Amino acid sequence: MTSPTPRVVSGIQPSGTIHLGNYFGAIRQHIALQDTHPGDAFYFIADYHALTTVRDPAVLRAHVFDSALTYLALGLDPARATLFRQSDVPEVTELAWLLATVTGMGLLERAHSYKDKLANNITPSVGLFFYPVLMAADILAHDGTLVPVGKDQLQHVEMAQDMATHFNEAYGRDPPVLYRPEPLPAKAAVVPGLDGRKMSKSYDNSLLLFESGKPLRKRVGQIVTDSTPLGEPLPFATCNVVALLRLFCDDAELAAIETYYRDGRRDGAPFGYGHAKLLLAEKIEQHFAPARARREQLLTPAGRAEIEAVLARGATKARAVASATLARCRRACGLR
């Protein structure tokens, strides 16, 4: 059974500077959803989750602020979407414990993030093992009914569904204590990094949203390509640079670039990977220029104060919902 109030809930983990993979994989969809679900889109900055990897408190604070700054610069409107820090709603951690009491170990052992760490010989912390429970609490505490996800995150929504079902079966199904969330398939792009693998903070293969000028060109210049000489035909379909250009170019522009690759020439002059990388750097800079300007405005003292005010107002709204959810769960369990 779903909540009587349809609500989008999602989060972003502040474990590093936001990059193109974060934008095309999630943030772009989040911004768009405020138009289709005005007032009922809840987005949290998952600072509790980030503690599984970030150990420096100053770094964590900076990443949390940068996440809020980035969302607002990219067009999130606090009048149509709720933005808040996860840790400003402590009810989610209590709900996570209540969910843990009805969740089997086997469910958590099947989590992709946990299994990936084991496969890479990384000793997972209890926090990483418990990660799906806290993520389920994030969704369920805010009566989330729609969770925008790509294929790689679908399992987390399914686990939240399982935990809501287990809790309701244990403590009452009519009416349900917790509402069942549903995945909202996101048209998220899989963004390759500099080395061709999925762009990731942990691989240090990312391109940052607001880099520009020489630093951006230098970073784009590190994209891995083959050794085809300047002026020779280039492989279009498998090129890492082209995979990134597809995110920014329309069909006509891509058709022209494919011609340059096929001929190894542009307007009669030799064309190579260096030229393609310059095209990409220009596209990135142009695409994010308006957001970069808004970001600079928000970095003023007045802008910083407004960001903190947005997070505080968002936390007040989100906590009111989470408190009501937790009260239902406490009564159901016999804690109150």
Side-chain angles (χ1 to χ4, degrees):
M1 182 174 177
T2 57
S3 166
T5 303
R7 178 172 293 126
V8 173
V9 175
S10 190
I12 186 168
Q13 187 174 159
S15 55
T17 305
I18 292 174
H19 54 67
L20 293 185
N22 302 133
Y23 174 72
F24 286 104
I27 298 174
R28 181 177 60 170
Q29 288 76 27
H30 294 169
I31 301 297
L33 283 168
Q34 70 183 358
D35 295 325
T36 56
H37 296 77
D40 284 311
F42 278 39
Y43 300 126
F44 60 91
I45 302 170
D47 47 355
Y48 280 143
H49 288 293
L51 291 175
T52 61
T53 56
V54 180
R55 296 289 184 268
D56 187 320
V59 169
L60 180 60
R61 293 188 197 102
H63 286 331
V64 169
F65 178 82
D66 186 64
S67 296
L69 171 65
T70 298
Y71 265 86
L72 294 171
L74 289 169
L76 183 134
D77 180 358
R80 296 185 293 155
T82 303
L83 181 67
F84 59 99
R85 292 184 190 88
Q86 181 189 32
S87 61
D88 283 340
V89 187
E91 286 80 2
V92 300
T93 56
E94 183 174 345
L95 180 58
W97 174 252
L98 299 184
L99 294 175
T101 64
V102 297
T103 300
M105 290 278 289
L107 181 66
L108 301 187
E109 289 170 343
R110 293 193 293 274
H112 298 320
S113 57
Y114 175 70
K115 292 197 294 184
D116 287 346
K117 293 296 186 294
L118 293 181
N120 287 286
N121 297 315
I122 297 173
T123 303
S125 66
V126 173
L128 182 68
F129 184 72
F130 194 74
Y131 192 102
V133 184
L134 183 56
M135 184 170 287
D138 289 320
I139 298 168
L140 299 174
H142 300 108
D143 290 341
T145 62
L146 297 171
V147 185
V149 288
K151 290 182 179 179
D152 59 339
Q153 291 291 316
L154 180 60
Q155 186 191 46
H156 289 299
V157 182
E158 294 171 342
M159 294 172 90
Q161 292 174 333
D162 289 342
M163 291 180 212
T165 298
H166 296 331
F167 193 89
N168 288 337
E169 287 177 344
Y171 295 112
R173 286 176 281 182
D174 189 20
V177 185
L178 294 172
Y179 301 112
R180 175 187 172 90
E182 296 295 336
L184 182 63
K187 295 180 180 178
V190 177
V191 181
L194 304 180
D195 55 3
R197 292 183 294 176
K198 182 180 178 180
M199 192 173 287
S200 170
K201 303 177 185 79
S202 60
Y203 296 153
D204 190 28
N205 68 350
S206 56
L207 291 169
L208 306 183
L209 260 63
F210 298 118
E211 241 175 5
S212 63
K214 187 176 179 179
L216 174 61
R217 292 193 297 273
K218 181 178 179 181
R219 190 69 172 167
V220 169
Q222 297 172 10
I223 297 173
V224 174
T225 53
D226 62 29
S227 57
T228 302
L230 176 66
E232 294 294 318
L234 304 173
F236 181 81
T238 58
C239 177
N240 293 330
V241 183
V242 171
L244 289 163
L245 280 167
R246 291 185 189 279
L247 301 171
F248 299 96
C249 296
D250 59 29
D251 291 343
E253 290 172 314
L254 285 172
I257 294 169
E258 185 173 10
T259 300
Y260 307 154
Y261 266 67
R262 185 183 63 240
D263 298 342
R265 307 189 74 78
R266 179 184 183 184
D267 299 330
F271 181 89
Y273 287 122
H275 299 95
K277 291 176 180 180
L278 284 176
L279 279 175
L280 175 60
E282 290 170 4
K283 284 291 184 182
I284 294 173
E285 189 143 12
Q286 291 168 6
H287 186 88
F288 293 108
R292 192 181 304 111
R294 286 193 293 271
R295 184 176 186 272
E296 290 303 313
Q297 294 172 353
L298 288 166
L299 283 172
T300 63
R304 289 175 176 272
E306 177 57 22
I307 290 172
E308 291 299 331
V310 166
L311 292 174
R313 291 194 298 268
T316 298
K317 182 175 180 179
R319 194 169 186 186
V321 177
S323 295
T325 302
L326 187 59
R328 292 198 308 268
C329 293
R330 284 176 166 180
R331 287 194 300 270
C333 293
L335 295 176
R336 292 292 184 273

